[in-house]
């Protein structure tokens, strides 16, 4: 569980590998500014258990409507099931890294990110000479990386990014990145984006 600013610097996807061996997700970022560079993340897996009113990540109302991310005392399970490799509630930057072969029993097989309210100005990386005023918590910046062969039981096989409709939404920036061969049983095999300001540049998205 990560709450402070930190950088994880590896020597490339072939040299630096973090393998969770299907035991848990790899990074759980609750706040702060986290950078992952030159690292392969694989074998992450989350689970959720079904209870009286639905799975632990949500519940069903009287009319059958489903409400996501609901947590009530007395509902027990492994976890909320989101984010096979990474669950992000802070600011995440991924550079020259590989997120492959991870599984989420909820949303976001590779990366799950959820927006919040604070503003954050980000000077983008290398070739892109713009700054973005975005929602601080939940923003994700991905450069020259690979997100592939991940799976979600619900939405967003590769990346799941969701936020309410804020006046200044959080940012999802993807540059020079391959998002391929991911699968979701609900929707968004490669990406599921809701309520984010998203820019995808010089990248490959292949289902």
């Amino acid at each position: 569980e990560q709450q402070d600013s930190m950088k994880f610097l590896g020597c490339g996807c072939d040299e630096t590998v973090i393998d969770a061996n299907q035991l848990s997700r790899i990074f759980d970022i609750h706040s702060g500014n986290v950078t992952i560079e030159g690292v392969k993340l694989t074998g992450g897996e989350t689970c959720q258990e079904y209870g009286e009113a639905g799975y632990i990540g949500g519940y069903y109302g009287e009319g059958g409507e489903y409400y996501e991310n609901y947590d009530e005392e007395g509902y027990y399970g492994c976890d909320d099931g989101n984010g096979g490799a990474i669950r992000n509630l802070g600011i995440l930057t991924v550079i020259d890294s590989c997120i492959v072969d991870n599984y989420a029993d909820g949303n976001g097989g590779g990366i799950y990110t959820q927006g919040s309210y604070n503003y954050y100005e980000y000077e983008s990386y290398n070739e892109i000479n713009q700054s973005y005023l975005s929602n601080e918590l939940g923003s994700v910046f991905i450069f020259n990386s690979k997100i592939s062969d991940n799976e979600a039981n619900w939405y967003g096989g590769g990346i799941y990014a969701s936020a309410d409709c804020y006046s200044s939404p959080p940012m999802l920036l993807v540059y020079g990145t391959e998002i391929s061969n991911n699968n979701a049983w609900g929707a968004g095999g490669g990406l599921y984006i809701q309520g984010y300001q998203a820019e995808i540049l010089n990248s490959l998205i292949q289902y």
Side-chain angles (χ1 to χ4, degrees):
E1 181 178 308
Q2 176 60 38
Q3 295 184 333
D4 299 318
S5 297
M6 187 172 291
K7 183 172 184 177
F8 296 87
L9 180 60
C11 297
C13 294
D14 294 332
E15 299 294 330
T16 305
V17 179
I18 301 176
D19 189 344
N21 289 312
Q22 290 76 47
L23 297 175
S24 68
R25 77 169 55 85
I26 300 170
F27 287 102
D28 196 357
I29 303 165
H30 284 202
S31 64
N33 192 328
V34 176
T35 299
I36 299 168
E37 182 173 356
V39 177
K40 179 180 179 180
L41 305 180
T42 190
E45 183 168 327
T46 59
C47 65
Q48 57 190 1
E49 291 182 357
Y50 292 79
E52 181 179 347
Y55 70 91
I56 194 170
Y59 76 105
Y60 288 93
E62 291 182 0
E65 300 90 349
Y66 180 72
Y67 299 87
E68 289 188 307
N69 301 322
Y70 183 78
D71 185 14
E72 180 178 275
E73 185 176 354
Y75 290 178
Y76 298 98
C78 305
D79 200 322
D80 64 7
N82 296 322
I86 301 171
R87 179 172 62 178
N88 175 57
L89 305 178
I91 304 166
L92 173 65
T93 303
V94 178
I95 304 169
D96 296 327
S97 294
C98 302
I99 299 173
V100 299
D101 291 316
N102 300 282
Y103 173 78
D105 200 23
N107 301 305
I111 298 172
Y112 171 93
T113 187
Q114 184 173 351
S116 186
Y117 278 100
N118 298 322
Y119 294 109
Y120 173 69
E121 189 168 2
Y122 182 83
E123 186 67 31
S124 54
Y125 179 75
N126 280 351
E127 293 92 325
I128 309 169
N129 297 311
Q130 301 178 41
S131 62
Y132 297 91
L133 182 64
S134 71
N135 204 295
E136 179 177 358
L137 301 179
S139 291
V140 176
F141 308 93
I142 303 171
F143 304 97
N144 304 324
S145 295
K146 181 177 182 179
I147 300 172
S148 68
D149 300 295
N150 302 288
E151 183 175 352
N153 192 37
W154 290 88
Y155 300 145
I159 300 172
Y160 176 96
S162 179
D164 292 335
C165 295
Y166 305 138
S167 58
S168 179
M171 183 74 195
L172 174 64
L173 174 63
V174 179
Y175 182 85
T177 292
E178 176 184 333
I179 301 173
S180 63
N181 300 318
N182 300 287
N183 183 57
W185 292 100
L191 295 135
Y192 180 89
I193 304 170
Q194 175 180 293
Y196 267 65
Q197 177 186 353
E199 293 200 24
I200 301 170
L201 306 170
N202 293 350
S203 297
L204 170 67
I205 301 175
Q206 183 177 9
Y207 179 68

